[in-house]
């Protein structure tokens, strides 16, 4: 028999037992579908997280007080906030290091914000005039406070969109009005654009000059964080090395501060989500293994059922290789069909899950190719033993088999 006849014979054998063939392929179908779906959702989630971080500004390095041995690239302050001072921010600005585009300082607290009878608990951010550019967060109406208002610690505020909507009948009405932020009264000079990270509504913030917060609200000279925006992504490592030296010289102890490189955060997120996707895919890959064992079992049954057929073919001149090829091709064909069905189900399943949940799905061609290749490989691997057993049958014994 040539290859074409062997293939036709394998297809005829599969079609002669449609239900059994489908049940045999079920493990492969479930395994491939799960691999494709998990990979698609994993890649989609990773891209969304990276996009959310990128939407908060690019080429950033953040300096925070304290040091902890946390996730690489994502240290968390562990010694309180009394490490970085306002003077450090001014010194860093005056230094004029090449590669640094903007520097902002930030202090954050939760205060009651009031206008007339309306009030809400909001996140009050004391910062500097470069904040909108560094954080990629634009002013929609009015303006952000300027350097003069920062230097004079003036009582001005810029409202997030949600705050403006909660305190006033419309965001436009907020401009020029007086609001109460904690124990001070401030004039609203701007309203920010509507923006969310997917986890946090950035509109639930009120921005005031950090000097106003320090002198009129907290009475503290310390700052909670500094964010440095570099000219290009290539400057991140270079500037990070400079910042390490700069703050070590002033704080006298590298354990008193942490430097968070945005690229390190992105790399860590990619690594974590990639590991989770690989872990979930490995678990679902067990279905492929079970499917392969199922194929081997059914092929062994098929060899037993077709013993007389094998004996007859050998008696009229079929070589052991011909018998081996027929059963191996039949096994590979079962797994290949199961793989194709699984790919379709995985794509459809990932899109359905994405539609009804907050998890985006990105179809990975690479994952589809790998999953299909593995499914065919499993069919070949688990089909070899039954096929070899069939090819070694003695034709006389096979013809006498009842």
């Amino acid at each position: 028999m040539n290859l074409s006849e062997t293939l036709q014979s394998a297809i005829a054998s599969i079609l002669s037992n449609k239900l059994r063939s489908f049940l045999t392929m079920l493990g492969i179908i479930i395994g491939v579908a799960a691999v494709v779906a998990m990979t698609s959702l994993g890649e989609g989630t990773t891209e969304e997280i990276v996009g959310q971080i990128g939407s908060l500004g690019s080429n950033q390095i953040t300096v925070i007080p304290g040091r902890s041995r946390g996730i690489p690239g994502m240290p968390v302050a562990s010694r309180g906030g009394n490490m970085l001072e306002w003077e450090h921010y001014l010194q860093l600005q005056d230094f004029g290091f090449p590669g640094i585009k903007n520097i902002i300082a930030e202090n954050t607290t939760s205060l009651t914000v009031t206008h007339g009878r309306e009030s809400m608990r909001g996140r009050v951010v004391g910062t500097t005039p470069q904040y909108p550019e560094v954080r990629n967060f634009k002013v929609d109406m009015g303006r952000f406070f300027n350097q003069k208002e920062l230097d004079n610690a003036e009582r001005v505020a810029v409202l997030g969109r949600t705050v403006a909507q909660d305190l006033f009948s419309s965001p436009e009405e907020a401009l020029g009005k007086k609001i109460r932020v904690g124990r001070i009264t401030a004039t609203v000079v701007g309203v920010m654009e509507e923006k969310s990270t997917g986890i946090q509504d950035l509109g639930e913030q009120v921005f005031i000059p950090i000097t106003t917060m320090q002198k009129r609200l907290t009475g503290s000279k310390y700052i909670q964080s500094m964010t440095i925006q570099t000219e290009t992504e290539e400057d991140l490592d270079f500037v990070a090395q400079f910042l390490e030296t700069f703050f070590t010289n002033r704080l006298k102890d590298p354990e008193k501060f942490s430097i968070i490189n945005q690229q390190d955060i992105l790399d860590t997120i990619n690594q974590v989500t990639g590991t989770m996707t690989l872990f979930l895919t490995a678990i679902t890959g067990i279905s492929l293994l079970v499917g392969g064992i199922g194929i081997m079992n059914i092929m062994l049954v098929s060899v037993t059922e077709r013993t007389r057929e094998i004996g007859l073919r050998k008696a009229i001149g079929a070589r052991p290789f011909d018998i081996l090829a027929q059963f191996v091709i039949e096994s590979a064909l079962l797994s290949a069909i199961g793989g194709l069905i699984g790919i379709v189900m995985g794509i459809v399943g990932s899109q359905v899950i994405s539609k009804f949940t907050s998890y985006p799905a990105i179809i990975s061609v690479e994952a589809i190719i790998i999953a299909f290749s593995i499914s065919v490989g499993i069919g070949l691997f688990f089909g070899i033993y039954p096929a070899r057993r069939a090819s070694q049958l003695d034709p006389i014994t096979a013809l006498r088999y009842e």
Side-chain angles (χ1 to χ4, degrees), residues 147-182:
Q147 188 65 40
K148 179 183 175 183
E149 290 164 334
L150 175 74
D151 294 339
N152 296 332
E154 295 187 19
R155 304 183 187 195
V156 291
V158 181
L159 306 183
R161 191 84 175 186
T162 304
V163 175
Q165 289 172 342
D166 287 349
L167 297 183
F168 299 90
S169 57
S170 67
E172 294 84 356
E173 186 188 338
L175 295 178
K177 298 294 192 303
K178 301 284 187 181
I179 62 170
R180 190 81 177 171
V181 181

Side-chain angles (χ1 to χ4, degrees), residues 70-75 259-266 268:
I71 299 174
M74 301 179 70
I259 293 178
I260 307 172
N261 189 322
Q262 187 187 50
Q263 191 57 51
D264 290 341
I265 295 176
L266 294 176
T268 300

Side-chain angles (χ1 to χ4, degrees), residues 124-291:
V124 180
V125 180
T127 186
T128 49
Q130 299 80 17
Y131 184 93
E133 182 177 356
V134 174
R135 295 299 189 195
N136 192 29
F137 194 11
K138 298 174 183 174
V139 178
D140 185 42
M141 288 172 281
R143 61 177 177 83
F144 210 74
F145 54 82
N146 55 41
Q147 188 65 40
K148 179 183 175 183
E149 290 164 334
L150 175 74
D151 294 339
N152 296 332
E154 295 187 19
R155 304 183 187 195
V156 291
V158 181
L159 306 183
R161 191 84 175 186
T162 304
V163 175
Q165 289 172 342
D166 287 349
L167 297 183
F168 299 90
S169 57
S170 67
E172 294 84 356
E173 186 188 338
L175 295 178
K177 298 294 192 303
K178 301 284 187 181
I179 62 170
R180 190 81 177 171
V181 181
R183 65 172 183 264
I184 69 170
T185 300
T187 302
V188 178
V189 296
V191 177
M192 304 299 286
E193 66 178 344
E194 188 173 354
K195 191 171 185 179
S196 171
T197 63
I199 300 174
Q200 178 189 9
D201 177 12
L202 298 181
E204 296 179 343
Q205 300 181 101
V206 176
F207 302 93
I208 62 175
I210 191 171
T211 50
T212 304
M213 175 177 281
Q214 290 176 325
K215 295 178 181 179
R216 305 185 188 281
L217 284 175
T218 63
S220 172
K221 64 180 179 180
Y222 296 104
I223 58 178
Q224 295 170 358
S225 69
M226 272 187 269
T227 301
I228 294 86
Q229 182 185 41
T230 62
E231 294 285 356
T232 65
E233 188 176 318
E234 289 71 26
D235 293 324
L236 284 170
D237 291 336
F238 178 55
V239 173
Q241 291 175 5
F242 159 72
L243 293 172
E244 189 81 34
T245 303
F246 178 88
F247 285 103
T248 299
N249 289 338
R250 282 154 181 79
L251 299 176
K252 309 303 180 185
D253 183 359
E255 294 297 309
K256 289 184 177 180
F257 66 94
S258 296
I259 293 178
I260 307 172
N261 189 322
Q262 187 187 50
Q263 191 57 51
D264 290 341
I265 295 176
L266 294 176
D267 292 342
T268 300
I269 289 172
N270 284 327
Q271 182 181 352
V272 171
T273 54
T275 301
M276 288 300 298
T277 301
L278 183 63
F279 177 70
L280 292 172
T281 302
I283 292 175
T284 56
I286 295 173
S287 297
L288 290 173
L289 180 62
V290 173

Side-chain angles (χ1 to χ4, degrees), residues 40-169:
S40 300
L41 292 168
E43 290 198 7
T45 302
T46 300
E47 185 164 306
E48 183 181 49
I49 293 172
V50 171
Q52 289 172 0
I53 292 175
S55 71
L56 298 177
S58 59
N59 308 331
Q60 294 181 4
I61 302 172
T62 302
V63 182
I64 60 174
R67 176 87 66 175
S68 71
R69 311 297 179 184
I71 299 174
M74 301 179 70
V76 179
S78 60
R79 293 193 187 177
N82 297 337
M83 301 291 173
L84 301 178
E85 298 183 10
W86 178 244
E87 286 301 318
H88 295 145
Y89 167 77
L90 297 177
Q91 291 169 9
L92 187 58
Q93 267 204 327
D94 294 339
F95 199 95
F97 190 76
I100 293 180
K101 184 178 181 181
N102 284 308
I103 308 169
I104 62 171
E106 289 180 73
N107 277 355
T108 303
T109 188
S110 180
L111 293 172
T112 300
V113 184
T114 306
H115 173 73
R117 295 182 179 179
E118 302 294 335
S119 67
M120 65 175 293
R121 195 76 178 175
R123 184 168 178 260
V124 180
V125 180
T127 186
T128 49
Q130 299 80 17
Y131 184 93
E133 182 177 356
V134 174
R135 295 299 189 195
N136 192 29
F137 194 11
K138 298 174 183 174
V139 178
D140 185 42
M141 288 172 281
R143 61 177 177 83
F144 210 74
F145 54 82
N146 55 41
Q147 188 65 40
K148 179 183 175 183
E149 290 164 334
L150 175 74
D151 294 339
N152 296 332
E154 295 187 19
R155 304 183 187 195
V156 291
V158 181
L159 306 183
R161 191 84 175 186
T162 304
V163 175
Q165 289 172 342
D166 287 349
L167 297 183
F168 299 90
S169 57

